[in-house]
Amino acid sequence: MKKTLLLLFAALMGVVNVANAETKISIGEPSNNTTDDSSNAWYDSSTKTITFFSQWSYRPGWWIGGSDYSSYQQFVVEFEGTVSNKIQVLVDCGDAGNLSGNNGDSHDNKITVALDSKASAVQQIYFQLADALGDGETASVKFKDAYFLSESDRATLSFNPASFNQHWSNETYDETTHTIQFDEEWKGIGWWLGNSYPLYKSAVFIFEPTASSGQLAILCADNTENAQKWFAAGSTYAVCDISGCTKINQFMLQAATANTTVVLKAAYFSTLNATDEEAYVTSHAWPLIIKSSGYASFASDNALDFSDVDGLEAYIVSSLTSTEATMKKVNEAPAQTGLILKGTAGTVYQVPIVPSAASVGTNKLKAAVTATDVTANSTYVLSDGQFKKFTGTSIPAGKAYLLAKDIPAEAHELSINFGDATGIKNIKVGTEDNVYYDLQGRRVLYPTKGLYIVNGKKVIVK
């Protein structure tokens, strides 16, 4: 079905044009000052490696020659992986002066330079290494892409949680589960920036429904122009006005209670003001995180379209036996539909909201759009790629679950059956070891020749 709120774009010869969305012009790999008089290779096109031989050297980069890019809001350089050294990008605008941006304190994989009227005569663009090097030392990074970017409605600058460099206490971040652990109340975790961001008007954190209240905190350069946005327990985002900060030192998330966790999905600055950005994030699907098992249960108060989301599949449970849940793939789902998502562990996927979606038919999954009270042992929830009996009394918001009364007979665990040979390899029923089951999930007391499931693995009896 046609999407109305997700803006997709495709490249053609390095140029992308989408109405009311982004215009992106790639300038390719560095082509200027790639070597010096000593034949040092500052840029190796065969490996796409930028090597810095000294601090603050004007290499490598691009010769632009006085071109007008004033209609673009950003110049962006992307790197492969994270960057361990502090790197600066300068956009030389001739007599008008320079525009610059860097990768923060370190570890970011993107550098963004905010453009203005000075960009009407861009002469050249080049890299500099801001870190000092010892005798004989070099620093290197892998180049990915460089482009000018314009967006008529909205542009964002994302921050990678793997690059957290500001802690007020013993907060930790797990890159696999995207989870922040707060050990003390009103401590924080985030980034030390120390830069001006004139292009951006709001700061945003998006997370799974929180158990604790807290705030998004911005510490401006003079330590008095601070900005905060309070959020209540159960919130999924916080948007803060940063238009009054001429320079931002700290960009932090704080929890109001000790020993709590927050699953962070995204952190970014937006060119929209705080009111408009809040309207934007509430009209678009939240980013979805796939947990370590490769699966996640999900429920939304919006209709969703999964048909063009690369690497992510959505399923309902079409039927149940005492040993397994049979899955049915769906490309779209109406609001308040319980779903099981299958994708790459630790990956965050963006799924578009649509005005409506066709019925998915019979679905045994129930949707907990908000936190839902249940009786202990009355439901089954997804755990480690299987459905297991839930002993708690509240299903978290945004999750899906099964009712025990819908399962034909008592079961400790239900396998997920995708209806093919690849689906049965994950089957594990009950808690007994070395018990044989046939491919339909039925227990076999005296196995003969054939293929069986034992301890969750396929075993051939000869």
Side-chain angles (χ1 to χ4, degrees):
M1 70 185 300
K2 184 178 180 181
K3 299 169 184 58
T4 60
L5 293 175
L6 180 69
L7 301 173
L8 301 177
F9 51 86
L12 178 61
M13 297 181 68
V15 180
V16 178
N17 292 290
V18 180
N20 298 318
E22 294 181 343
T23 300
K24 174 181 173 183
I25 297 182
S26 176
I27 63 172
E29 300 176 29
S31 56
N32 193 45
N33 292 333
T34 56
T35 60
D36 61 16
D37 295 337
S38 302
S39 298
N40 288 322
W42 292 78
Y43 182 70
D44 184 342
S45 60
S46 64
T47 61
K48 295 190 175 182
T49 300
I50 299 171
T51 302
F52 296 97
F53 296 90
S54 57
Q55 185 182 27
W56 298 121
S57 294
Y58 291 76
R59 299 170 185 270
W62 300 263
W63 178 257
I64 306 297
S67 298
D68 184 358
Y69 288 100
S70 58
S71 62
Y72 294 84
Q73 283 79 53
Q74 302 178 69
F75 176 72
V76 181
V77 179
E78 296 183 7
F79 305 101
E80 288 189 20
T82 56
V83 181
S84 59
N85 295 96
K86 190 170 182 178
I87 299 171
Q88 186 175 75
V89 171
L90 278 89
V91 178
D92 178 1
C93 302
D95 293 339
N98 293 335
L99 299 169
S100 66
N102 60 50
N103 60 323
D105 196 39
S106 65
H107 306 295
D108 296 333
N109 58 4
K110 181 186 292 186
I111 296 176
T112 300
V113 181
L115 304 178
D116 56 25
S117 59
K118 290 181 181 180
S120 60
V122 177
Q123 299 296 321
Q124 61 179 327
I125 301 171
Y126 51 85
F127 294 99
Q128 291 182 313
L129 178 67
D131 289 341
L133 294 174
D135 292 340
E137 288 185 347
T138 62
S140 63
V141 63
K142 272 203 166 185
F143 172 83
K144 182 178 181 182
D145 197 7
Y147 49 88
F148 288 93
L149 185 65
S150 173
E151 189 170 8
S152 58
D153 296 322
R154 178 177 179 266
T156 61
L157 173 62
S158 295
F159 293 84
N160 180 5
S163 68
F164 279 136
N165 56 36
Q166 185 75 4
H167 301 258
W168 287 354
S169 185
N170 297 316
E171 300 82 21
T172 59
Y173 176 70
D174 187 317
E175 292 185 42
T176 302
T177 63
H178 301 258
T179 300
I180 301 170
Q181 173 69 47
F182 293 93
D183 291 337
E184 300 181 52
E185 63 181 21
W186 291 119
K187 301 301 181 182
I189 188 170
W191 297 268
W192 175 269
L193 301 176
N195 288 314
S196 59
Y197 295 88
L199 182 66
Y200 302 99
K201 300 176 182 177
S202 57
V204 184
F205 275 105
I206 294 179
F207 31 73
E208 288 190 352
T210 56
S212 169
S213 57
Q215 71 176 8
L216 187 167
I218 299 291
L219 181 64
C220 298
D222 64 359
N223 297 329
T224 58
E225 298 177 8
N226 298 334
Q228 296 90 21
K229 178 64 176 181
W230 171 268
F231 58 84
S235 297
T236 54
Y237 68 90
V239 180
C240 183
D241 180 9
I242 61 173
S243 59
C245 274
T246 56
K247 186 176 181 182
I248 295 175
N249 281 344
Q250 295 181 20
F251 176 29
M252 306 287 289
L253 187 68
Q254 297 176 295
T257 57
N259 300 315
T260 191
T261 60
V262 173
V263 178
L264 180 63
K265 296 179 177 180
Y268 60 88
F269 290 162
S270 171
T271 53
L272 296 183
N273 62 48
T275 299
D276 291 340
E277 180 61 27
E278 185 166 340
Y280 179 91
V281 297
T282 54
S283 65
H284 288 65
W286 302 120
L288 308 179
I289 297 177
I290 300 299
K291 300 302 175 62
S292 58
S293 65
Y295 304 94
S297 73
F298 183 72
S300 172
D301 206 17
N302 298 289
L304 302 172
D305 188 345
F306 297 87
S307 57
D308 288 326
V309 183
D310 291 339
L312 182 69
E313 297 176 347
Y315 294 85
I316 61 170
V317 173
S318 59
S319 63
L320 292 167
T321 70
S322 61
T323 59
E324 69 181 21
T326 299
M327 315 301 290
K328 175 185 174 183
K329 185 178 178 181
V330 296
N331 290 324
E332 57 186 48
Q336 301 185 6
T337 298
L339 297 167
I340 299 299
L341 306 179
K342 180 182 179 183
T344 301
T347 301
V348 179
Y349 294 93
Q350 299 281 349
V351 179
I353 287 174
V354 290
S356 61
S359 171
V360 296
T362 300
N363 183 16
K364 298 296 185 179
L365 285 168
K366 307 302 177 183
V369 175
T370 59
T372 302
D373 292 336
V374 296
T375 303
N377 298 310
S378 68
T379 61
Y380 283 71
V381 298
L382 188 67
S383 177
D384 298 325
Q386 299 170 311
F387 286 105
K388 299 180 181 180
K389 186 169 285 188
F390 183 55
T391 58
T393 57
S394 180
I395 305 293
K399 299 297 181 181
Y401 60 99
L402 297 171
L403 294 176
K405 66 181 182 65
D406 290 340
I407 299 171
E410 186 72 11
H412 294 289
E413 300 172 358
L414 297 179
S415 65
I416 296 176
N417 182 2
F418 291 96
D420 55 30
T422 60
I424 64 174
K425 69 182 181 181
N426 293 320
I427 290 180
K428 180 182 178 184
V429 183
T431 57
E432 299 174 273
D433 292 334
N434 301 319
V435 175
Y436 287 72
Y437 295 88
D438 65 17
L439 300 187
Q440 285 70 49
R442 296 171 298 198
R443 183 170 179 173
V444 179
L445 295 178
Y446 304 102
T448 57
K449 291 182 179 180
L451 181 63
Y452 298 90
I453 305 300
V454 182
N455 299 332
K457 298 180 180 179
K458 287 188 283 189
V459 173
I460 296 176
V461 176
K462 298 181 179 180

